[in-house]
Amino acid sequence: HLAHAQSNKYGFQMYAFVHPSAKECSSAMSKLGYTTLIRNTPFDSEDIQKKFLREHIDGASCCGRKEYIKLYAYTLVEHPVAVILDLDSLVLKPFDDLFDAMISEDYDAAGSSVPIHDKENAKNVSKKIDAFYTRDYNMVNPGGEKYAGVQGGFLMVKPNETVFEEYVDIVLDGDYREGRGWGGR
């Protein structure tokens, strides 16, 4: 919940993307100050092209295909940045440095205060920042840290409907390989 991490520099609006099957529970979110947006999964699993993902997406993670309603954060284009948090997240400090790095045109000034885990690979990355994420190291065996996937409980993105559509297209293509992840990587 963001109430304990208010910024002196940035305001915020809280949204709860709620699947229609949980609509009855959404009034609690409204009472906490969230704008509740009822959204179905942004794709039908029957439309996923590759068999493995089509047959296993509903058994993946806690929520199966419903996990992908998080992608709707990319449609909040009236905001310069959207933060995606699972309900069990606790934010202790403001995200001002991350917001500055994403919004600023001067990355060298704004981004210098943002810690980077893999500095060697960061040298070859564009200075324009469209997202921040954390890795899910708890989901890999020791020694496999290089292959840790994105932890979906925290994402910070620049809303962009084109990117939303690109992610939906990636899921619909379905190139998720058992034991390897998206594109076999």
Side-chain angles (χ1 to χ4, degrees):
H1 194 282
L2 293 174
H4 295 95
Q6 290 189 17
S7 165
N8 291 327
K9 189 173 183 180
Y10 296 101
F12 66 92
Q13 170 65 46
M14 297 186 299
Y15 295 91
F17 291 105
V18 177
H19 191 270
S21 66
K23 185 177 181 178
E24 310 80 48
C25 305
S26 65
S27 63
M29 300 305 290
S30 297
K31 289 177 186 175
L32 291 171
Y34 288 82
T35 298
T36 304
L37 303 173
I38 307 300
R39 298 289 185 271
N40 210 335
T41 306
F43 55 85
D44 290 322
S45 56
E46 303 83 41
D47 295 332
I48 297 172
Q49 299 300 308
K50 298 202 173 48
K51 182 178 178 180
F52 178 80
L53 185 62
R54 183 176 57 251
E55 291 180 354
H56 291 89
I57 195 164
D58 283 322
S61 71
C62 68
C63 309
R65 69 177 173 221
K66 293 174 189 167
E67 188 80 21
Y68 292 90
I69 65 173
K70 293 176 183 179
L71 292 177
Y72 284 110
Y74 278 101
T75 66
L76 298 174
V77 295
E78 64 274 19
H79 302 287
V81 175
V83 179
I84 305 162
L85 297 171
D86 279 353
L87 196 55
D88 60 353
S89 298
L90 176 65
V91 177
L92 299 174
K93 294 179 2 181
F95 292 135
D96 290 4
D97 289 342
L98 299 177
F99 295 154
D100 289 345
M102 290 183 80
I103 295 169
S104 176
E105 296 296 320
D106 184 4
Y107 171 80
D108 290 327
S112 62
S113 63
V114 176
I116 298 174
H117 174 70
D118 189 354
K119 291 183 182 177
E120 188 60 36
N121 283 328
K123 293 176 187 174
N124 302 320
V125 176
S126 165
K127 292 190 180 212
K128 180 181 169 202
I129 299 173
D130 291 323
F132 282 110
Y133 60 91
T134 56
R135 296 238 182 226
D136 202 348
Y137 293 107
N138 292 328
M139 299 299 289
V140 295
N141 293 323
E145 292 84 3
K146 175 180 174 184
Y147 303 103
V150 172
Q151 209 301 329
F154 168 81
L155 297 167
M156 183 178 293
V157 302
K158 282 187 181 176
N160 182 319
E161 295 210 27
T162 300
V163 173
F164 170 78
E165 294 296 333
E166 287 173 4
Y167 277 121
V168 170
D169 288 345
I170 288 169
V171 175
L172 289 173
D173 180 54
D175 192 10
Y176 187 90
R177 300 178 196 174
E178 184 175 11
R180 300 287 313 224
W182 293 103
R185 298 179 191 168

